[in-house]
Amino acid sequence: MADTMETGMIGGKKIQKKYLREKMMPHIFCNGCGLGNVLDYVLWAIEKEELDMDKTVFLSGIGCSSRIPGYIHADALHTTHGRALGFATGVKMANPDLNVIVFSGDGDCIGIGGNHFIHAARRNINITVIAVNNYIYGMTGGQVAPTTPEGHFGTTAPYGNIESPFDMSQMAIAAGATYVARWPVHRPNQPINSIREGLRNNGFSFIEMMSPCTTAYGRRNRYKDIKDLWDFYINNTILKEDYEMIMKFGSEEERDATKDKIIIGELHKASKKPLEDKYREMVKELME
Amino acid sequence: MKYDIQKVKKVLGKDKQFIHGDTALCYGALLAGCNFYGGYPITPASEVFEMMSKLMPKLGGVCIQMEDEIASIASIIGASWTGAKSFTATSGPGFSLMQENFGFACITETPVVIANVQRSGPSTGQPTLGAQGDMMQVRYGSHGDFEIIALAPNTIQETMEFTIKAFNLAEEYRVPVFIMIDGDIGHMREMVTIPQEVELFERKKPKVSPDKYIPFGPGRYGKKKVPEFGVFGTGYHTYVTGLTHNEQGFPATDDQEEHDRLVKRICEKITDDREKLTDIEERNMEDAEVALVSYGMASRSSLGALNMARERGERVGYFRLKNIWPFPEKAIEELSTRVDKIVVVEMNLGQIYHKVKEFADCEVVLSSKIGGEPHSPKEILAEVK
Ligand SMILES: Cc1ncc(C[n+]2csc(CCOP(=O)(O)OP(=O)(O)O)c2C)c(N)n1
Ligand code: SF4
Ligand SMILES: [Mg+2]
């Protein structure tokens, strides 16, 4: 994180000055952590979309990823572990004119917060969720998460994880989200575009960011430093369009080599009225 | 939607109505300007939610069914930060699920109102029957040190009025305020008169520019220990966290002094006003030798016992706690100098009894009843002897 924050990888000094709380520095993130990139991309998307920061509220649960809003100069509610979407539903329903952006970790979002996550998606409430997937419980020191791949190690899976992992993005689609994208942090432009798309979508937008946790995850697995994790993303992900082509037209060999890769890109787009619009219409009718 | 009592009264209907306690909670909330309800169904509190679902949209407010009680309390805290007056009602199992976020509301000083229509526990217990088993949980159920305000009405009229009061106190002190009734009062019908006018207290907002605003510092325009509330969306850029925070709202998790300062302030803003918040009803106390101390549903049984005792010529008095937390310490201390004996009447195995014992300097005994039936007067008088 340090590098991005101090030198400005994408957003640069201008964005940092405009959006970050200087008083909160130094930040708490480890060297090599992907959270700085995620923050950077979100701020860049906000800048491009010209969001009014007086009308934008950030929410988060508990975890490293959930500490991001603390660094942004805006209203923010840093809530309880897994519950940010419940709070966010209250904020958005009570004042639909506010832009609502939620940061959540994988454990926060699909572990302890899974129930709130599927229901917020089902309601298609107009908020944008940035779910940082580092495949581990980072803040508490590397216990396995519901996203940890089978066979990987965590402090609570010292002999290797024997559970099947969740695919958060597929879950979001199944539950009713109207914009879903997944990107690893090593590509800046596509995630920024997806976040922008998510902010523009009038409904529940879910952007899963695959983000390296060197300290609690990489160290215990095969990825000793940040480069190993970035290489993992490069070698084990495939764009949705490419995946579909290979599965349709590829040889058996090609299909075999592809089938277990993590599909990235814009995964889902749909058009559906968000809950708060439907509620407003109902109220309007009743009050006439 | 702007609050207009005439509009609320129009939606509520006739000025005199024969309604039950759950409806009275709903009416009281709407009369207090409540404009956000996040709920989850549970007996015997579901009727509050059902009535809200019917009436709230007609007033332009929001009523939403959340996926569980953890989310319903979360939603009302979130709504409160946008300036809404927010409310939820629940019972035992739901109340247990809400505990973590009650603590969040305390440390972030978020005004919210919660009604607990108590039923017997532990666990699913007796869903349809009344009890007073959550009187300690409401005060101590969430982890850490904090103070809340809890009121205990005993009629349907009072349930409506105390709900209005609860909203005012939540706004004034920036604290969760609880209305503790039970399944009996929740489902019992009585005649109520809807007030012509309601006096409302609105939370103090900052008047300084955002760069001078100290979100968790001393209050400038009202109570010194209650800071001004920078409503989300008004440019104050407040960082609200459940972590120990400094006056700016930023995490100060390793700082002993900041923690001490924060936690003591959020407790003292309530306990400093303990006397002011004390609310007691006395009957036949002038010559009483034994006092029946009770609250809520148990106080209705105590009234029966009082009448029976007086008919027999026994010098028994009635001392009803209308607020439970902060505990009326001085009032109990003072009461114990006037009587020889206190009988604490409650529908649990002894909760407020222990608080009374702590402050009374006379004999204190417990008249307890559980199982979903209120005390009979005879059962209470058995402890008077
Ligand atoms: C109710 C509750 N249970 C457990 C915790 C401890 N806890 C804090 S962060 C965390 C895991 C966070 O993991 P994740 O959401 O993936 O975020 P990351 O730190 O990896 O970004 C846990 C279990 C807590 N704060 N609250
Ligand atoms: S523990 Fe992992 S997720 Fe947390 S700051 Fe360090 S590298 Fe990032
Ligand atoms: Mg994680």
Side-chain angles (χ1 to χ4, degrees):
Chain A
M1 171 103 191
D3 289 354
T4 326
M5 212 68 150
E6 276 145 31
T7 59
M9 202 182 86
I10 306 292
K13 284 258 186 291
K14 188 182 126 218
I15 293 251
Q16 292 180 20
K17 241 197 141 42
K18 182 165 169 191
Y19 292 102
L20 296 184
R21 286 189 197 269
E22 262 167 43
K23 281 187 188 153
M24 281 284 282
M25 300 300 159
H27 58 76
I28 62 157
F29 305 134
C30 310
N31 268 338
C33 178
L35 288 171
N37 304 73
V38 175
L39 170 58
D40 215 8
Y41 302 164
V42 171
L43 293 181
W44 193 241
I46 285 173
E47 169 76 5
K48 289 278 184 193
E49 289 303 314
E50 299 178 0
L51 287 198
D52 178 354
M53 292 306 270
D54 284 350
K55 297 284 172 204
T56 303
V57 177
F58 294 86
L59 292 101
S60 60
I62 297 291
C64 296
S65 318
S66 294
R67 292 297 284 268
I68 287 181
Y71 303 106
I72 307 173
H73 218 299
D75 291 322
L77 207 49
H78 178 223
T79 69
T80 44
H81 191 25
R83 318 302 176 195
L85 286 167
F87 289 85
T89 302
V91 170
K92 186 67 184 180
M93 286 301 285
N95 186 354
D97 298 334
L98 297 173
N99 310 305
V100 177
I101 302 173
V102 176
F103 284 93
S104 190
D106 47 324
D108 195 67
C109 182
I110 195 74
I112 192 165
N115 197 31
H116 310 303
F117 169 48
I118 58 177
H119 287 280
R122 173 180 66 82
R123 294 185 184 107
N124 190 35
I125 187 157
N126 181 12
I127 61 184
T128 300
V129 178
I130 312 293
V132 181
N133 191 356
N134 53 17
Y135 300 93
I136 203 81
Y137 283 174
M139 177 156 273
T140 38
Q143 300 81 8
V144 281
T147 46
T148 308
E150 211 169 324
H152 284 213
F153 296 90
T155 55
T156 49
Y159 312 114
N161 181 27
I162 55 170
E163 293 190 18
S164 307
F166 244 124
D167 182 329
M168 294 200 280
S169 288
Q170 287 304 327
M171 192 67 186
I173 297 168
T178 43
Y179 182 79
V180 180
R182 170 162 50 212
W183 295 106
V185 293
H186 73 273
R187 306 161 162 257
N189 292 328
Q190 293 98 326
I192 292 171
N193 286 335
S194 277
I195 296 164
R196 293 183 61 182
E197 192 77 32
L199 293 173
R200 281 199 298 266
N201 174 41
N202 187 24
F204 189 83
S205 304
F206 185 79
I207 291 112
E208 176 182 343
M209 292 298 309
M210 299 165 61
S211 168
C213 166
T214 41
T215 308
Y217 178 69
R219 211 157 43 91
R220 237 165 247 116
N221 289 286
R222 279 157 294 167
Y223 321 107
K224 274 186 283 319
D225 59 44
I226 173 78
K227 191 182 168 299
D228 297 332
L229 273 160
W230 284 44
D231 284 346
F232 172 82
Y233 295 152
I234 292 164
N235 298 329
N236 289 282
T237 54
I238 183 162
L239 276 170
K240 181 171 179 257
E241 295 73 27
D242 296 347
Y243 179 88
E244 282 165 357
M245 286 293 270
I246 291 170
M247 285 304 155
K248 228 178 190 168
F249 305 112
S251 65
E252 201 180 324
E253 247 172 37
E254 281 170 320
R255 277 186 277 139
D256 256 4
T258 307
K259 70 176 187 341
D260 291 330
K261 288 199 174 176
I262 300 167
I263 304 168
I264 58 171
E266 275 192 334
L267 304 179
H268 180 69
K269 266 183 179 176
S271 173
K272 200 168 83 182
K273 225 180 250 178
L275 178 71
E276 71 277 13
D277 286 3
K278 291 201 252 179
Y279 193 89
R280 269 205 272 208
E281 283 168 17
M282 179 180 81
V283 163
K284 203 167 156 242
E285 222 167 86
L286 281 166
M287 290 185 71
E288 263 164 18
Chain B
M1 219 25 71
K2 257 209 113 30
Y3 172 82
D4 173 356
I5 184 151
Q6 292 316 323
K7 265 192 204 142
V8 177
K9 280 172 65 78
K10 203 173 150 210
V11 165
L12 300 190
K14 290 203 207 89
D15 276 354
K16 277 196 184 296
Q17 293 187 35
F18 192 60
I19 58 171
H20 60 37
D22 280 3
T23 304
L25 288 168
C26 173
Y27 282 16
L30 293 175
L31 286 164
C34 169
N35 53 3
F36 191 96
Y37 188 96
Y40 191 82
I42 188 165
T43 306
S46 295
E47 290 89 338
V48 187
F49 189 12
E50 288 166 350
M51 189 57 80
M52 273 292 179
S53 308
K54 203 165 139 192
L55 303 185
M56 186 69 101
K58 292 188 186 170
L59 287 164
V62 176
C63 181
I64 180 170
Q65 178 159 335
M66 297 303 290
E67 51 275 16
D68 56 30
E69 287 88 347
I70 301 175
S72 58
I73 177 75
S75 74
I76 76 167
I77 296 171
S80 182
W81 275 98
T82 72
K85 287 192 179 178
S86 56
F87 182 39
T88 191
T90 188
S91 190
F95 202 64
S96 291
L97 282 183
M98 290 181 182
Q99 294 299 327
E100 185 190 13
N101 283 339
F102 289 160
F104 182 82
C106 287
I107 199 171
T108 58
E109 302 179 71
T110 310
V112 283
V113 177
I114 301 107
N116 183 347
V117 188
Q118 294 169 88
R119 61 193 239 185
S120 297
S123 192
T124 315
Q126 296 178 297
T128 59
L129 302 176
Q132 297 180 318
D134 308 345
M135 301 310 298
M136 282 289 162
Q137 188 188 19
V138 64
R139 170 69 184 84
Y140 296 106
S142 199
H143 53 283
D145 294 304
F146 59 90
E147 291 279 343
I148 49 87
I149 297 175
L151 312 176
N154 80 344
T155 64
I156 310 307
Q157 180 76 32
E158 213 175 64
T159 300
M160 183 176 69
E161 285 165 7
F162 279 21
T163 308
I164 298 170
K165 186 175 172 187
F167 275 90
N168 286 344
L169 292 172
E171 294 284 312
E172 186 178 359
Y173 290 90
R174 288 188 58 176
V175 74
V177 179
F178 297 85
I179 305 144
M180 303 297 285
I181 60 169
D182 71 290
D184 294 335
I185 293 180
H187 285 165
M188 173 196 302
R189 280 175 196 271
E190 282 176 350
M191 206 55 155
V192 301
T193 309
I194 292 164
Q196 292 307 315
E197 258 172 87
V198 177
E199 211 177 303
L200 296 183
F201 190 101
E202 307 295 332
R203 70 192 76 167
K204 299 267 189 253
K205 317 259 164 61
K207 292 181 202 157
V208 293
S209 59
D211 57 311
K212 297 210 176 67
Y213 174 52
I214 304 171
F216 296 93
R220 297 191 191 206
Y221 320 117
K223 293 183 180 297
K224 279 226 162 50
K225 288 178 183 164
V226 183
E228 279 77 45
F229 190 102
V231 174
F232 282 3
T234 59
Y236 281 94
H237 293 192
T238 312
Y239 185 60
V240 181
T241 176
L243 292 170
T244 289
H245 43 270
N246 60 23
E247 293 191 338
Q248 298 293 335
F250 302 146
T253 50
D254 297 333
D255 192 325
Q256 187 273 331
E257 276 173 34
E258 287 288 6
H259 185 81
D260 184 86
R261 184 193 56 74
L262 171 68
V263 174
K264 283 187 178 154
R265 180 175 61 73
I266 64 171
C267 289
E268 285 164 6
K269 72 179 179 184
I270 308 298
T271 54
D272 283 358
D273 279 0
R274 190 188 299 278
E275 296 307 307
K276 214 182 127 197
L277 292 163
T278 292
D279 194 0
I280 295 205
E281 182 194 350
E282 294 188 13
R283 294 194 193 198
N284 295 88
M285 282 304 300
E286 307 73 31
D287 63 344
E289 287 164 356
V290 179
L292 303 177
V293 171
S294 61
Y295 56 90
M297 188 61 198
S299 66
R300 297 176 71 110
S301 317
S302 301
L303 208 52
L306 173 76
N307 293 337
M308 192 182 271
R310 285 283 161 177
E311 271 167 31
R312 292 189 203 157
E314 289 169 21
R315 287 160 79 171
V316 172
Y318 170 91
F319 195 89
R320 173 166 76 100
L321 312 181
K322 299 203 250 178
N323 82 301
I324 303 293
W325 307 110
F327 191 69
E329 299 175 354
K330 273 231 177 77
I332 293 293
E333 231 174 77
E334 194 262 337
L335 168 71
S336 71
T337 65
R338 289 153 60 192
V339 295
D340 301 330
K341 183 176 174 179
I342 292 173
V343 180
V344 182
V345 186
E346 45 185 350
M347 290 162 70
N348 53 45
L349 290 183
Q351 297 196 4
I352 297 308
Y353 162 71
H354 294 285
K355 278 316 272 190
V356 173
K357 259 192 108 154
E358 189 182 340
F359 294 97
D361 198 15
C362 69
E363 186 190 356
V364 182
V365 298
L366 170 68
S367 170
S368 125
K369 179 91 183 254
I370 58 171
E373 253 177 43
H375 296 73
S376 71
K378 272 197 188 132
E379 283 169 331
I380 296 170
L381 292 181
E383 301 299 335
V384 167
K385 301 241 160 66

